[in-house]
Amino acid sequence: MRRHSTDEITSKVKQAEELMARGQSQAQACKVLGVSVMTFHRWRKQEAARGRQANGTVAEFAAHAEDRDGALPVPTRIDELRLENERLRRIVTDLLLEKMKIEEKLALRSSGGSGLPRRGEVQS
């Protein structure tokens, strides 16, 4: 197994992107470069982690992220989705707690404890 330098990886990722832009499949591009598809995916992930995209920097990518229908740039949309996810998690947690309380009251009621009053009973 051969180790590639950072420059070689960057160069091969760009070459693969160019080959795919010309109509070759990922598998064909990887075969031309002499690497597996999994290696290519790992390299692309490393490139993105280093702050580069296949077509430029992350800043350039974010600047061009607004598409035709006026969608928000990627970082802003991701932040919004994270906030929504956080809110939904809180709601689910609250509902689960409420469900547990009701189940406990029903369990006490069925075992003869002092849970919810039975029909016709007055709770004091």
Side-chain angles (χ1 to χ4, degrees), residues 100-112:
M100 287 174 51
K101 288 178 186 177
I102 291 170
E103 287 175 345
E104 287 173 0
K105 286 183 180 182
L106 286 174
L108 285 174
R109 179 179 173 191
S110 66
S111 68

Side-chain angles (χ1 to χ4, degrees), residues 20-51:
M20 289 187 296
R22 289 188 206 139
Q24 288 191 1
S25 70
Q26 239 180 27
Q28 291 170 333
C30 291
K31 191 172 186 176
V32 168
L33 297 175
V35 297
S36 71
V37 175
M38 292 302 293
T39 299
F40 173 68
H41 282 278
R42 189 176 66 246
W43 285 353
R44 274 196 355 200
K45 190 175 179 181
Q46 288 172 351
E47 288 292 304
R50 277 193 223 113

Side-chain angles (χ1 to χ4, degrees), residues 70-106:
L72 294 173
V74 174
T76 305
R77 180 72 177 137
I78 290 172
D79 291 339
E80 283 181 0
L81 290 172
R82 284 187 180 142
L83 282 172
E84 182 181 3
N85 191 13
E86 195 175 312
R87 287 184 201 118
L88 291 172
R89 285 177 189 260
R90 281 192 213 123
I91 290 170
V92 168
T93 302
D94 291 343
L95 290 172
L96 285 172
L97 287 172
E98 193 173 316
K99 178 186 170 220
M100 287 174 51
K101 288 178 186 177
I102 291 170
E103 287 175 345
E104 287 173 0
K105 286 183 180 182
L106 286 174

